[in-house]
Amino acid sequence: MLTLSYNGTVIPTGEDFSLRIKWVNPCCFHNEIQGDVALGIEIPVNDYTRAYFGNPHRFEKYASASDRKFLNVDIRYAGVLLMNGTLNITNATSESYSAWLQSAVGYIGEEQREK
């Protein structure tokens, strides 16, 4: 079973939870640090996710870009770690949060680009 956890706590996502992972070898790029990404993450809105990510109806009005990033998120399949990184929420509706996961290497690359 595919699970998503935030700071060691499993986020309830449902049995039909799926996503697409794109692995990139950072050695192939010489001018920037690339990282792996997990795309198409849809997290259902419920009492648990609302406590972690905030109310979806307030998301667009009050959340800044830094408030939409959640560090230390794991994707696991049958307990095996597939990816760890930063969850970036791009949109929130009354039914779900739309997000993508940036690997730790990609997050470091983004911080270096900002410098």
Side-chain angles (χ1 to χ4, degrees):
M1 179 173 179
L2 192 62
T3 60
L4 186 70
S5 63
Y6 174 55
N7 287 332
T9 305
V10 175
I11 299 170
T13 54
E15 293 185 15
D16 60 342
F17 178 65
S18 67
L19 53 92
R20 185 173 45 128
I21 297 177
K22 179 181 174 187
W23 279 288
V24 177
N25 187 346
C27 296
C28 298
F29 299 93
H30 301 290
N31 56 352
E32 64 182 345
I33 300 172
Q34 294 282 326
D36 306 328
V37 294
L39 303 169
I41 298 174
E42 294 290 326
I43 302 170
V45 174
N46 54 39
D47 291 338
Y48 299 105
T49 57
R50 204 176 280 122
Y52 294 126
F53 306 126
N55 288 320
H57 65 278
R58 294 183 178 183
F59 201 77
E60 290 296 324
K61 292 181 182 177
Y62 301 111
S64 65
S66 62
D67 291 340
R68 297 177 183 191
K69 293 185 177 188
F70 299 91
L71 300 171
N72 199 20
V73 174
D74 297 338
I75 297 174
R76 295 180 183 269
Y77 181 75
V80 177
L81 180 67
L82 297 178
M83 186 182 295
N84 177 294
T86 303
L87 185 71
N88 297 290
I89 297 181
T90 56
N91 191 20
T93 64
S94 60
E95 290 89 29
S96 68
Y97 298 95
S98 300
W100 62 282
L101 185 73
Q102 181 180 30
S103 70
V105 173
Y107 185 73
I108 292 169
E110 182 179 317
E111 286 183 339
Q112 292 301 316
R113 278 192 297 274
E114 296 297 323
K115 290 182 179 181

